[in-house]
């Protein structure tokens, strides 16, 4: 089912955003799809020019995730 939804998104949505799909899939700003199979931290988005925001997904266990958001150096 998620593959049908993914095909719809790729066809009809602009690629000016990224998204997490379900619990294990990520679509990047350039439309690439990744499976998040391991327990790790993933840099989802960051302003490398002005350093005004950072978004990181942390997966500690298969049932435990946290989202770290920093804006203007404030968590």
């Amino acid at each position: 089912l998620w593959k049908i939804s993914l095909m719809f998104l790729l066809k009809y949505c602009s690629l000016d955003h990224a998204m997490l799909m379900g619990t294990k899939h990520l679509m990047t700003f350039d439309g690439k799809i990744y499976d998040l199979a391991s327990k790790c931290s993933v840099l989802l988005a960051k302003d490398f020019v002005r350093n005004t925001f950072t978004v990181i997904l942390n997966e500690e266990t298969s049932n435990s995730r946290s989202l770290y958001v920093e804006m203007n150096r404030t968590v």
Side-chain angles (χ1 to χ4, degrees), residues 21-37:
M21 299 172 291
T23 58
K24 296 289 180 186
H25 308 287
L26 167 71
M27 183 172 78
T28 61
F29 290 101
D30 59 358
K32 293 180 182 173
I33 306 298
Y34 292 95
D35 293 328
L36 304 173

Side-chain angles (χ1 to χ4, degrees), residues 8-19:
F8 175 84
L9 288 171
L10 291 174
K11 185 173 182 178
Y12 295 106
C13 295
S14 64
L15 294 177
D16 59 352
H17 59 276
M19 69 179 83

